[in-house]
C-alpha cells in the first residue's frame, strides 16, 4: 500500500438481543447474542489477512464486546473512543418503532423528515456524523499509510458513508448495514474512496441481519 494511503475497515458490532427485538438502543446497551459472538469471531479471523495495525471502537458495551473478540484474534489492544458511539436517541431509546410512533408521533415524524432534528434528550444525525467523521479524520492522520479497524454502529456507519462520499444527508439509509459486515474505505491525498461496502463473505452460513 502506498505511504499516502490509509485504509479503514469499518465494522458494525455483532448482533444484540435488542437488534432481534427491534428495540432502539442508541446509547443504551444490549448484550451480544450467541450469533453476535460468532459474527465477531468470524470477523476477527477474516481480518488476520488484512493485518490492521490498530483497532479502535465505540465505548458502548456491544461495540466493546465485539472489539475485544476481534482484537484478541489480531493480538491487538482495542482503543475505545466515545466519538464512535451510536446516535443518542433520547426519548426513543429502548422502544420499538411501533412504540415510538404511538408514544411520540410528532417527534417521530420530525425525526424521519430532518437529519438536523435534535431528538428530545438526544442528538441529531448531523451531530453524530460530525463527531464520528472528526474522529476518523484524526485517526487517518495518526495512522498515515496503515490499515486500521474500527468497530462502531449502523447509524454512525451511515453518517460516515455520507460524509466520506459527500452524499446528501439521509441518503445512507438506502444502504444495508449488516452486523459484523466489513466496509472498506481508503483515505488518499485527494480524499476518501469506497473500496467495498457490506462485505459478509466471512460470515458464510451465519444468519445476518
Amino acid at each position: 500500500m502506498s505511504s499516502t494511503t490509509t485504509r479503514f475497515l469499518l465494522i458494525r458490532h455483532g448482533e444484540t438481543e435488542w437488534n432481534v427485538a427491534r428495540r432502539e438502543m442508541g446509547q443504551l446497551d444490549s448484550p451480544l447474542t450467541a450469533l453476535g459472538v460468532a459474527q465477531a469471531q468470524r470477523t476477527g479471523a477474516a481480518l488476520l489477512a488484512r493485518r490492521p495495525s490498530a483497532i479502535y471502537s465505540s465505548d458502548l458495551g456491544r461495540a466493546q464486546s465485539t472489539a475485544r473478540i476481534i482484537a484478541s484474534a489480531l493480538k491487538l489492544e482495542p482503543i475505545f473512543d466515545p466519538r464512535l458511539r451510536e446516535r443518542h436517541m433520547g426519548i426513543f431509546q429502548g422502544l420499538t418503532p411501533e412504540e415510538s410512533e404511538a408514544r411520540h408521533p410528532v417527534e417521530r415524524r420530525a425525526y424521519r423528515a430532518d437529519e438536523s432534528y435534535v431528538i428530545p434528550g438526544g442528538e441529531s444525525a448531523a451531530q453524530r456524523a460530525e463527531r464520528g467523521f472528526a474522529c476518523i479524520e484524526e485517526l487517518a492522520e495518526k495512522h498515515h499509510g496503515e490499515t486500521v479497524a474500527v468497530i462502531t454502529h449502523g447509524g454512525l456507519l451511515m453518517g460516515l458513508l455520507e460524509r466520506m462520499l459527500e452524499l446528501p444527508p439521509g441518503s445512507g439509509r438506502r444502504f444495508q448495514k449488516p452486523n459484523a459486515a466489513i466496509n472498506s474505505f481508503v483515505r488518499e491525498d485527494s480524499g476518501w474512496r469506497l473500496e467495498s461496502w457490506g462485505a459478509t463473505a466471512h460470515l458464510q452460513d451465519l444468519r445476518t441481519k
Side-chain angles (χ1 to χ4, degrees):
M1 182 165 39
S2 166
S3 61
T4 60
T5 297
T6 306
R7 180 165 286 107
F8 280 84
L9 306 173
L10 305 179
I11 299 157
R12 187 184 175 196
H13 60 80
E15 181 190 77
T16 70
E17 292 180 2
W18 275 15
N19 285 152
V20 176
R22 297 174 60 250
R23 291 197 176 277
E24 190 68 70
M25 282 177 283
Q27 294 187 7
L28 296 179
D29 228 326
S30 175
L32 298 183
T33 62
L35 174 60
V37 171
Q39 289 171 336
Q41 291 169 337
R42 291 279 189 93
T43 303
L47 292 189
L48 282 171
R50 311 292 287 272
R51 301 171 66 96
S53 60
I55 179 168
Y56 289 83
S57 173
S58 158
D59 64 345
L60 296 178
R62 58 195 184 272
Q64 281 206 39
S65 296
T66 303
R68 291 189 191 282
I69 293 169
I70 294 172
S72 177
L74 299 174
K75 294 181 170 51
L76 294 172
E77 188 66 32
I79 301 169
F80 302 106
D81 193 315
R83 292 177 294 175
L84 297 170
R85 288 182 177 186
E86 183 56 280
R87 179 180 182 178
H88 195 306
M89 295 298 288
I91 58 174
F92 301 143
Q93 292 193 156
L95 304 180
T96 65
E98 294 79 13
E99 290 169 343
S100 291
E101 191 68 47
R103 298 182 195 183
H104 309 289
V106 174
E107 293 84 355
R108 194 73 180 176
R109 284 195 294 274
Y111 159 71
R112 288 197 299 266
D114 185 1
E115 293 293 300
S116 65
Y117 174 69
V118 179
I119 301 169
E123 64 183 332
S124 70
Q127 289 170 329
R128 172 188 59 196
E130 185 67 30
R131 60 172 163 78
F133 188 60
C135 178
I136 296 296
E137 285 279 0
E138 182 181 299
L139 295 180
E141 291 299 319
K142 181 177 180 180
H143 294 280
H144 197 64
E146 302 174 22
T147 295
V148 180
V150 176
I151 314 305
T152 185
H153 306 269
L156 185 59
L157 283 170
M158 179 183 73
L160 292 175
L161 175 72
E162 293 169 356
R163 289 298 180 96
M164 290 172 171
L165 301 186
E166 300 179 354
L167 300 174
S171 59
R173 294 180 186 274
R174 295 175 296 165
F175 296 83
Q176 292 188 334
K177 297 166 282 292
N179 292 105
I182 300 173
N183 309 285
S184 181
F185 288 83
V186 165
R187 180 68 163 92
E188 299 171 316
D189 294 340
S190 58
W192 288 95
R193 174 168 56 85
L194 175 63
E195 284 191 319
S196 64
W197 178 265
T200 56
H202 60 291
L203 303 176
Q204 296 184 1
D205 57 318
L206 294 179
R207 175 176 56 84
T208 58
K209 295 180 74 67

